[in-house]
Amino acid sequence: MIKKGVSFCILGCLLCSFIFKSEAQEAPGFLSKRTKASVGPVARFYWNDLELNGIYGLSFSPQFNLINNFSDVSLSLDLEPVIGYHPGNDADPVSFIYAGSPATLNLNIGHLATKDFRSDMGIFFGGGYSADYIRDTLMLGPVATTGLRWWMAGRSFTIRYHIYFTEQDDLNFAHSIGIFYNFGPWIQLNRRNNKLSKFARPFRKDLN
């Protein structure tokens, strides 16, 4: 079962990577206008017999805008598939590989809301459902999320937090946090356009 979950996540990551590579080489189309992605390390924490334990992994997170009509506001469907590992410790001596993903509907404001975003920083929040396979147990349940996005050193980053509401016997997820590098065919183009827009803004006021 673990092998199937890991194989499914790897296949999904490879497929999304192929889509983004193809879109980046072509003229802007439907997918490139609405889709972005991020990759980064994630720490997920779960309770086991009243002890808090950590799982540490890597996530490739695709995001698709469902409502894309405003420059700094959007509604998106976000996934955060993670492949991780729990090293055995005193709280939980069992070492295991973990695979899972929350799927959330998010309201995005500001930075990276759409391909035409103008803000240097942004916030998002939302909720959805999570499926996680941990220690031979499939856990399903609601999840809520929030986070920040911003420019740093000429690149776009996200910090994302999830809180889980899943419970099964003495095992349940509590929280996860990750920091991500955002990429997509239009992110750097948008940064250059925003610089030109800010430079030209005083001249536009003089003309009005």
Side-chain angles (χ1 to χ4, degrees):
M1 186 71 177
I2 292 179
K3 291 182 178 179
K4 290 182 179 179
V6 172
S7 299
F8 178 78
C9 289
I10 292 175
L11 182 61
C13 291
L14 291 175
L15 179 60
C16 289
S17 298
F18 173 77
I19 291 174
F20 278 103
K21 184 177 180 180
S22 299
E23 285 290 322
Q25 294 174 349
E26 298 175 358
F30 180 79
L31 281 179
S32 64
K33 290 178 180 179
R34 293 178 176 266
T35 312
K36 54 188 178 289
S38 56
V39 62
V42 175
R44 291 194 171 170
F45 301 95
Y46 67 97
W47 292 100
N48 180 40
D49 295 329
L50 302 181
E51 294 283 351
L52 190 63
N53 297 270
I55 298 172
Y56 309 98
L58 186 67
S59 173
F60 175 90
S61 177
Q63 301 129 50
F64 181 78
N65 282 2
L66 302 174
I67 297 178
N68 206 45
N69 299 331
F70 309 97
S71 62
D72 281 332
V73 179
S74 69
L75 187 68
S76 65
L77 175 63
D78 293 28
L79 302 176
E80 191 186 284
V82 174
I83 297 175
Y85 179 73
H86 168 73
N89 53 37
D90 292 339
D92 187 353
V94 179
S95 299
F96 57 86
I97 295 175
Y98 157 85
S101 177
T104 57
L105 193 64
N106 293 341
L107 178 64
N108 308 284
I109 301 172
H111 185 83
L112 215 60
T114 72
K115 71 179 184 65
D116 298 316
F117 71 91
R118 308 278 180 171
S119 304
D120 291 336
M121 294 193 67
I123 188 172
F124 62 92
F125 51 88
Y129 212 72
S130 181
D132 303 275
Y133 190 76
I134 172 176
R135 293 187 60 190
D136 299 324
T137 301
L138 179 63
M139 301 180 65
L140 303 171
V143 61
T145 185
T146 188
L148 298 172
R149 299 186 179 106
W150 71 96
W151 289 121
M152 184 173 68
R155 298 292 183 267
S156 176
F157 291 89
T158 293
I159 185 167
R160 182 182 296 126
Y161 169 78
H162 287 92
I163 181 169
Y164 296 84
F165 303 95
T166 58
E167 184 173 357
Q168 185 164 336
D169 299 327
D170 293 327
L171 180 68
N172 62 88
F173 265 107
H175 315 277
S176 74
I177 190 167
I179 185 165
F180 298 85
Y181 169 69
N182 305 314
F183 63 94
W186 42 265
I187 291 179
Q188 293 307 312
L189 177 62
N190 178 280
R191 179 174 178 268
R192 291 194 295 270
N193 289 343
N194 279 347
K195 280 188 173 181
L196 291 173
S197 176
K198 290 176 181 178
F199 174 78
R201 193 174 299 152
F203 301 97
R204 290 194 187 121
K205 289 180 179 179
D206 291 340
L207 292 174
N208 291 334

